[in-house]
Amino acid sequence: MKGWNGRFLRVDLTKGKTAVQDYSEDLARRFVGGRGFAVKLLWDELKLGTDPLSPDNMLIYAVGPVTGFVIPNSGKIVVASKSPLTGGYGDGNLGTQASPNLRKSGLDAVVVTGKAKKPSYLLIEDDKHEIRDAGHLWGLDSYKAEARLKEEHGRASGALLIGPAGENLSRIATVVSQEGRAGGRPGMGAVMGSKNLKAVVIHGTKELPAHDPEKLRRLGQEGYQQILKKDNYKWWKRQGTMATVEWCQEAGTLPTYNFREGVFDRAPEIDGNTMEKQVTVQRGCPNCNMTCGNVIMDTEGRESELDYENVTMLGSNIGVGDLKQVGTLNRMCDELGLDTIGAGSCLGFAMEAAEKGLVDLDIGWGDFEGSQRLLLDMAYMRGMGATFGLGTRKAAEKIGRGAGDFAIHVKGLECSAYECHLCPGMALSFGTSPIGAHHKDAWVISWEISTGRREFYDENKADKVIEFQRIRGGMFECLVACRFPWIELGFELDHYPDYFEAATGVKMSLDDFWALGDRVYALIRAFWVREHGGRWGREMDHPPKRWFDEPLTQGALKGKHLFRDKYDGLLQAYYDRRGWDDRGIPTKATMERLNLSREALELEKFVKLS
Ligand code: PTT
Ligand code: SF4
């Protein structure tokens, strides 16, 4: 097999053992890489009902067959596990030097099980695989720990780490790298912490095996050139994802005061234009010429790398309207290893709970100092932070007295930063995302607002959600490359089957990639259903209650809200198109069509398939 290395590293932290495993060509062809490998491994090997924070849980770092080659934006990695935040399938995707290094060490994935007796880190240097003592790193924030590891193992190495949040099992802990890259929103950092695994450090020097290296090199160079010539390139380099603040404010979809409103009166103070005046440097992922990490100095004079999600969830969503203050909260999240989206949502939820007198907590809207205190407490799981650090769903269950009505999540994962009182298509995207409410699989909101907002519940929105899920959640997450060249600059999708073929020698059309996406989606859904013992219903795919029951009170969209019955109709259209039944479970015929017959037999042990 060219393109793929064909090898996984298995790490059993309980036994202190590592082993290299060849994987089958069938796995490579049916699941390609990244998320595809992750869900198949979890489906095949994870014991049913495993506690996500127990040694039995599997933690998977997986790249894909185009990752690491010098082609556009190929420096990403998928981190996946059974999620301690949602109880279902969880993953995230981050850009990091660890990603090309993993490929160059001759591996396509690392699968970690067990729990180390003491704080440890995993060192991969080509064929050397060691579990090492991390006593000197435990307790350090992610910046300090990474700096120590780079001193010890060289600047060319890449590191995936956790901060104190992961160590203390905060359910909103993420995996971080390179002082400002983060991935694994559904608590992947807590899974690392539960295994006493502080970091994975990787340095690979091998040649990556390509089917046609010369062609791949040429295609890569042409791709970089084409990206530079795209109309939007200069604008993108100026603001990156931060331009979305201006756009969302204008469209009335900027999460504000815990998603109660869609406009924020201080939005201009935290938007991309303000950021442009403060930016000091831009950073990015490996193999990328679109570097979108805009760095500003925070209130303490420290660097903070901003993105749209970070700024709105730690800004408008909690009423903070000062970019430097937002920068400080963002920097704290990166150091502590807290997901900014989860953290911003939990802060907003806490502020509202305090306002309603449901908790005895000294925090109010826009409270910068109070937010800093609560971030620390959520990371260290102490005081009230021990409740909010469980995520909004579990925190609401603990608080009771109707707190669930304003917990903004789907399946336990906090919504990313798109206010959907008048965006049923985007609400459907959150509702059906395979990991809970994340925009990454189907960011249809821009299309929805520009084309169809007036035809609120048109079924073409279900088509669009599926189209995006196939491209983003299927192709990009399995090839493991950044989707921004395509979605932000219009870099054509046809490039990717070409890269894939030059890397592997295997021809796959775009339609084949869409079938791959459908297969991965069906298996992820099967995983959720199996973990729920077959007790599954369509209400699992509903967006937060607030969007139905509490109309907006401000801005041009005042009075607007989603309609439950119409949303449900859209959801049904989605199920019909996917070949899933009324409960949202893939039918037997669908599983068979997607080359998942064996998996269907397993699923039938838990639920009768239609
Ligand atoms: C992603 C989620 C996002 S999505 C953002 S900003 W975004 C937040 N970033 C965080 C952060 O920073 N620090 C932190 N402590 N927590 C954070 N949580 C939030 O996590 C990211 C870019 C972005 S910026 C996006 S959309 C794209 N995401 C991609 C994806 O998912 N797949 C893919 N193939 N390509 C993508 N390209 C873009 O990458 P999660 P990164 Mg992130 C600091 O992982 O769990 O999916 O959550 O990876 O390297 O930081 O790049 O407006
Ligand atoms: Fe990373 Fe941004 Fe480049 Fe994507 S566009 S690879 S997120 S720097």
Side-chain angles (χ1 to χ4, degrees):
M1 286 196 304
K2 286 282 175 66
W4 292 282
N5 283 309
R7 301 185 337 154
F8 295 154
L9 180 67
R10 298 280 183 161
V11 180
D12 183 333
L13 290 170
T14 305
K15 294 189 179 139
K17 293 231 158 86
T18 64
V20 170
Q21 174 209 355
D22 293 336
Y23 64 84
S24 71
E25 193 166 339
D26 175 61
L27 180 74
R29 295 218 177 212
R30 266 203 309 157
F31 291 93
V32 174
R35 173 183 267 180
F37 283 174
V39 65
K40 180 66 171 141
L41 284 162
L42 286 166
W43 175 263
D44 285 347
E45 297 178 24
L46 191 76
K47 234 184 322 154
L48 182 69
T50 296
D51 174 349
L53 296 179
S54 72
D56 285 345
N57 198 8
M58 298 164 69
L59 176 62
I60 300 161
Y61 308 89
V63 284
V66 304
T67 313
F69 287 115
V70 185
I71 56 171
N73 306 29
S74 63
K76 295 267 179 183
I77 193 166
V78 169
V79 188
S81 191
K82 179 176 171 184
S83 160
L85 186 60
T86 69
Y89 173 82
D91 71 16
N93 188 314
L94 70 156
T96 164
Q97 288 292 350
S99 163
N101 271 301
L102 182 64
R103 292 274 284 158
K104 287 180 191 162
S105 69
L107 297 166
D108 293 330
V110 181
V111 184
V112 182
T113 50
K115 176 179 181 177
K117 286 190 188 65
K118 55 185 183 180
S120 303
Y121 72 97
L122 175 66
L123 177 66
I124 300 172
E125 281 176 337
D126 286 335
D127 293 326
K128 183 169 96 181
H129 311 128
E130 287 180 5
I131 300 163
R132 292 197 164 191
D133 184 75
H136 62 308
L137 304 171
W138 204 256
L140 292 186
D141 71 49
S142 73
Y143 283 52
K144 292 198 181 84
E146 187 163 18
R148 290 286 291 272
L149 286 165
K150 291 260 178 178
E151 269 168 34
E152 288 167 31
H153 301 293
R155 296 216 64 76
S157 62
L160 298 158
L161 312 104
I162 53 170
E167 293 175 11
N168 290 292
L169 311 184
S170 171
R171 309 305 192 268
I172 51 172
T174 190
V175 178
V176 274
S177 189
Q178 297 186 194
E179 303 183 343
R181 305 261 132 210
R185 290 192 50 218
M188 303 297 101
V191 178
M192 270 182 87
S194 73
K195 298 188 172 305
N196 265 336
L197 183 64
K198 178 72 180 178
V200 180
V201 182
I202 314 171
H203 188 206
T205 60
K206 297 183 190 183
E207 181 107 2
L208 261 178
H211 165 73
D212 189 340
E214 185 46 37
K215 184 170 178 193
L216 196 56
R217 198 189 55 77
R218 179 174 54 75
L219 289 175
Q221 279 186 354
E222 287 169 7
Y224 287 119
Q225 289 306 317
Q226 287 170 24
I227 285 174
L228 291 178
K229 288 188 194 129
K230 288 288 176 189
D231 294 343
N232 211 17
Y233 183 80
K234 286 206 176 84
W235 174 242
W236 173 259
K237 282 290 287 176
R238 275 176 55 189
Q239 295 210 352
T241 59
M242 284 291 291
T244 315
V245 183
E246 293 101 274
W247 179 80
C248 277
Q249 169 78 351
E250 200 180 317
T253 59
L254 193 74
T256 304
Y257 302 124
N258 196 27
F259 288 82
R260 272 207 297 231
E261 306 295 345
V263 286
F264 181 47
D265 52 5
R266 295 185 66 189
E269 294 167 65
I270 59 166
D271 69 9
N273 299 320
T274 297
M275 180 276 295
E276 273 197 69
K277 293 179 202 134
Q278 296 186 23
V279 72
T280 54
V281 68
Q282 288 182 320
R283 302 227 172 86
C285 312
N287 296 343
C288 171
N289 65 348
M290 292 170 58
T291 45
C292 67
N294 287 295
V295 177
I296 65 157
M297 306 311 275
D298 74 358
T299 54
E300 312 281 315
R302 301 169 306 182
E303 291 190 335
S304 179
E305 186 175 321
L306 303 179
D307 261 310
Y308 165 74
E309 305 288 332
N310 309 339
V311 168
T312 42
M313 294 307 291
L314 297 168
S316 53
N317 194 54
I318 58 171
V320 171
D322 176 302
L323 195 62
K324 284 195 178 298
Q325 290 186 349
V326 172
T328 297
L329 300 177
N330 178 57
R331 164 94 187 201
M332 285 179 71
C333 284
D334 285 344
E335 286 182 347
L336 294 165
L338 281 172
D339 167 37
T340 52
I341 297 173
S345 195
C346 289
L347 286 176
F349 174 72
M351 288 171 181
E352 188 161 348
E355 182 185 58
K356 290 183 156 71
L358 299 179
V359 290
D360 183 16
L361 187 66
D362 181 18
I363 197 166
W365 298 113
D367 183 348
F368 174 53
E369 283 80 22
S371 297
Q372 291 180 78
R373 282 194 302 273
L374 189 52
L375 279 184
L376 282 168
D377 287 349
M378 289 195 293
Y380 287 94
M381 293 298 273
R382 63 192 182 201
M384 283 303 288
T387 297
F388 293 109
L390 294 172
T392 53
R393 180 175 67 178
K394 286 196 187 128
E397 282 165 17
K398 279 188 96 170
I399 294 166
R401 294 186 288 158
D405 291 356
F406 57 92
I408 310 298
H409 68 87
V410 176
K411 301 183 184 71
L413 183 70
E414 285 69 31
C415 291
S416 34
Y418 301 95
E419 207 307 301
C420 290
H421 275 82
L422 196 65
C423 296
M426 191 63 214
L428 181 70
S429 164
F430 279 138
T432 59
S433 151
I435 60 170
H438 202 313
H439 64 290
K440 72 183 205 170
D441 280 58
W443 188 70
V444 298
I445 192 165
S446 150
W447 166 86
E448 179 169 36
I449 288 173
S450 62
T451 62
R453 210 174 197 185
R454 270 166 294 143
E455 298 167 49
F456 298 125
Y457 294 85
D458 193 299
E459 289 193 0
N460 70 353
K461 296 194 177 184
D463 290 321
K464 198 66 179 179
V465 169
I466 292 172
E467 179 192 327
F468 270 34
Q469 288 176 339
R470 285 173 172 158
I471 298 170
R472 298 161 66 111
M475 188 172 83
F476 281 109
E477 293 312 309
C478 294
L479 285 176
V480 191
C482 176
R483 59 173 186 256
F484 276 168
W486 160 69
I487 190 70
E488 299 294 347
L489 302 188
F491 185 62
E492 296 73 12
L493 287 175
D494 295 329
H495 293 291
Y496 294 92
D498 291 346
Y499 296 154
F500 176 74
E501 190 184 348
T504 64
V506 176
K507 223 177 169 39
M508 266 177 82
S509 66
L510 284 174
D511 282 340
D512 295 332
F513 276 106
W514 309 159
L516 165 71
D518 291 350
R519 183 175 310 124
V520 166
Y521 258 64
L523 195 56
I524 293 179
R525 180 51 65 112
F527 181 85
W528 278 92
V529 173
R530 187 175 69 174
E531 285 297 334
H532 281 73
R535 292 176 299 281
W536 190 265
R538 57 196 295 137
E539 66 286 349
M540 295 293 282
D541 293 333
H542 273 223
K545 192 169 179 297
R546 163 156 285 170
W547 294 345
F548 293 118
D549 297 341
E550 293 177 51
L552 295 168
T553 69
Q554 287 171 19
L557 305 184
K558 187 173 166 182
K560 300 295 184 196
H561 63 91
L562 292 179
F563 292 92
R564 208 167 255 108
D565 53 342
K566 290 185 183 171
Y567 175 84
D568 216 50
L570 197 52
L571 184 61
Q572 188 59 48
Y574 174 92
Y575 290 161
D576 293 345
R577 283 157 172 76
R578 278 222 169 274
W580 296 2
D581 66 18
D582 293 356
R583 300 164 297 177
I585 300 175
T587 65
K588 195 167 182 179
T590 299
M591 296 285 279
E592 284 168 356
R593 175 171 54 78
L594 295 171
N595 199 358
L596 292 171
S597 304
R598 269 216 333 265
E599 290 79 3
L601 287 177
E602 161 73 9
L603 185 58
E604 277 197 307
K605 292 180 193 159
F606 302 90
V607 66
K608 192 163 169 25
L609 296 185
S610 311

